[in-house]
């Protein structure tokens, strides 16, 4: 089952991002670990890890306050 990321802006609205798919959760997490800064600078505030249609978890890309 493929893994992928969904992207949202600060208002929680979907935004376009790379349409990458991964064969494992570890591969998806490794990729986001390398790409999160570029995503953040392009307006992505939150990412959601999805396996097929099942949401695994959501993570903010914003700095901790």
């Amino acid at each position: 089952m493929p893994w992928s990321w969904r992207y949202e802006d600060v208002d929680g609205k979907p935004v376009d991002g790379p349409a990458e798919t991964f064969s494992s959760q570890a591969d998806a997490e490794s990729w986001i670990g390398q790409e999160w800064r570029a995503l953040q600078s392009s307006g992505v505030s939150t990412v959601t890890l999805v396996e097929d249609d099942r949401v695994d978890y959501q993570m903010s890309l914003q700095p901790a306050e």
Side-chain angles (χ1 to χ4, degrees):
M1 291 182 240
W3 295 80
S4 61
W5 292 99
R6 293 183 189 160
Y7 313 99
E8 297 178 355
D9 64 15
V10 294
D11 296 322
K13 295 180 182 171
V15 294
D16 290 332
E20 301 283 339
T21 58
F22 307 91
S23 59
S24 71
Q25 181 176 355
D27 289 344
E29 290 171 337
S30 178
W31 180 85
I32 203 73
Q34 297 171 2
E35 299 294 325
W36 73 269
R37 287 178 187 87
L39 292 167
Q40 182 189 45
S41 68
S42 70
V44 176
S45 175
T46 304
V47 294
T48 303
L49 183 60
V50 179
E51 181 185 24
D52 284 331
D53 290 327
R54 182 187 64 83
V55 171
D56 194 57
Y57 65 87
Q58 190 174 57
M59 176 174 64
S60 173
L61 299 182
Q62 299 304 307
E65 294 181 15

